[in-house]
Amino acid sequence: MEKPKPMPEAYYSLLEKIQAVDFVLLELNLYLDTHPNDADAIEQYNESSYESRALKKEFEEKFGPLMNYGASYSDYPFDWATPPWPWQV
Amino acid sequence: MWYYEKKLQYPVRVRECNPTLAKYLIEQYGGADGELSAALRYLNQRYSIPDKVVGLLNDIGTEEFAHLEMIATMIYKLTKDATPEQLKEAGLGDHYVAHDHALFYHDAAGNPWTATYIQGKGDPIADIYEDIAAEEKARATYQWIINMSDDPELNDSLKFLREREIVHSQRFREAAQMLIDEKDKKRFF
């Protein structure tokens, strides 16, 4: 494992925005698993899901795919299996 | 099935190379109350638990793999630049001779992970109560590791994980109550 090249500041700031909204989604998901009739929480869940998709689209255009198996588009050459991996940044 | 997402659930930063701290963190990697145990325990219990709580086991079990990856990242970052001599001084000499800088599923004392750490009893109440206990034990372990650590950046990530154990415990307590209510509904006299 060679040393990965340092990532620009925008990589970290955009990733943190995604981590923040995805955390909201995960928390709401666990809450809704045991409170399926909370309409306000479902509304917040759907709004956050929209926000997360928009942030990920922006991130992927700049830094490549976030997800494998076709859940993200690839550039040429195939840019999924390229560093940095999460533990390298 | 699962998709992989190229990001950690929460950022992991460490101040400096610190194999002693990594040795303690291995407890949460391959230890009895660690993240591997948690993920495998919950995902395995899904098949025989009532439908009402399958989603919760599925989603918490999946989150545990994200925590396992955070712990792995901490250990990796704390040891990647350590020399064999530094690993030896940190008590990781035994680890080094078997694994070099590779991670491995064992606890802080070097005992390999074993399925005897987890249970799938097939009794919904027994399984959920085990899960609550597991979360409380993991929370306590995170606290003891934080008490041993003098790395403020690492502690920020460890505090996040400690809080997740609290949330999981509370969600499992709700699930236990749902199972009890469901059982009472079926009781006819």
Side-chain angles (χ1 to χ4, degrees):
Chain A
M1 36 145 223
E2 64 274 37
K3 246 192 164 70
K5 59 178 193 300
M7 299 305 286
E9 182 48 41
Y11 172 90
Y12 294 97
S13 57
L14 199 48
L15 195 62
E16 275 204 38
K17 275 190 198 169
I18 292 170
Q19 285 165 322
V21 67
D22 279 5
F23 178 68
V24 170
L25 279 163
L26 191 149
E27 265 291 77
L28 284 167
N29 194 150
L30 298 190
Y31 169 78
L32 285 164
D33 284 344
T34 48
H35 305 78
N37 301 316
D38 188 330
D40 289 342
I42 295 167
E43 194 185 329
Q44 203 189 341
Y45 181 84
N46 287 332
E47 280 170 9
S48 299
S49 177
Y50 182 84
E51 200 186 326
S52 173
R53 281 160 212 244
L55 284 169
K56 285 175 186 177
K57 188 169 177 285
E58 188 188 341
F59 181 92
E60 291 184 327
E61 280 164 8
K62 288 187 176 122
F63 304 111
L66 274 167
M67 294 186 77
N68 59 357
Y69 300 157
S72 298
Y73 295 110
S74 176
D75 207 338
Y76 182 89
F78 192 55
D79 60 353
W80 160 252
T82 53
W85 293 92
W87 53 92
Q88 296 172 333
V89 292
Chain B
M1 75 167 289
W2 278 268
Y3 287 82
Y4 183 74
E5 191 158 36
K6 230 180 201 178
K7 76 182 210 302
L8 296 180
Q9 188 189 2
Y10 185 90
V12 167
R13 295 185 192 94
V14 306
R15 195 176 52 186
E16 61 198 354
C17 175
N18 188 338
T20 305
L21 207 42
K23 186 183 195 301
Y24 301 143
L25 283 166
I26 292 173
E27 186 65 30
Q28 292 297 61
Y29 195 62
D33 309 316
E35 302 293 354
L36 181 71
S37 295
L40 298 181
R41 179 190 295 111
Y42 306 149
L43 294 174
N44 182 64
Q45 289 175 353
R46 292 179 300 171
Y47 306 97
S48 52
I49 210 96
D51 283 350
K52 262 191 143 67
V53 299
V54 170
L56 189 67
L57 281 173
N58 183 76
D59 298 336
I60 294 181
T62 300
E63 187 184 354
E64 303 296 3
F65 275 122
H67 295 175
L68 188 68
E69 188 180 38
M70 283 179 65
I71 294 292
T73 299
M74 293 174 188
I75 297 166
Y76 168 73
K77 289 188 172 187
L78 289 167
T79 57
K80 70 182 166 67
D81 299 321
T83 62
E85 194 54 43
Q86 285 175 308
L87 291 171
K88 189 177 157 190
E89 274 168 33
L92 285 170
D94 299 343
H95 178 97
Y96 177 76
V97 296
H99 308 290
D100 193 342
H101 281 70
L103 275 72
F104 195 68
Y105 295 114
H106 56 69
D107 67 12
N111 305 300
W113 189 85
T114 155
T116 54
Y117 291 155
I118 65 174
Q119 184 56 284
K121 204 68 205 173
D123 179 285
I125 297 290
D127 282 348
I128 288 289
Y129 278 17
E130 161 162 329
D131 301 344
I132 296 167
E135 294 293 337
E136 297 300 337
K137 287 187 282 181
R139 175 191 50 75
T141 308
Y142 277 120
Q143 188 61 57
W144 309 154
I145 297 172
I146 290 166
N147 293 353
M148 298 291 273
S149 160
D150 59 355
D151 183 334
E153 293 180 52
L154 182 80
N155 284 352
D156 177 62
S157 309
L158 289 175
K159 284 174 188 167
F160 171 83
L161 292 171
R162 181 189 63 191
E163 299 311 305
R164 296 310 296 149
E165 309 299 341
I166 296 169
V167 172
H168 291 175
S169 172
Q170 288 169 342
R171 291 278 99 92
F172 281 137
R173 284 161 202 245
E174 287 167 356
Q177 196 52 52
M178 286 162 74
L179 292 171
I180 291 163
D181 294 346
E182 190 82 350
K183 209 172 154 198
D184 289 346
K185 259 192 252 165
K186 286 185 191 146
R187 195 169 289 164
F188 299 104
F189 295 101

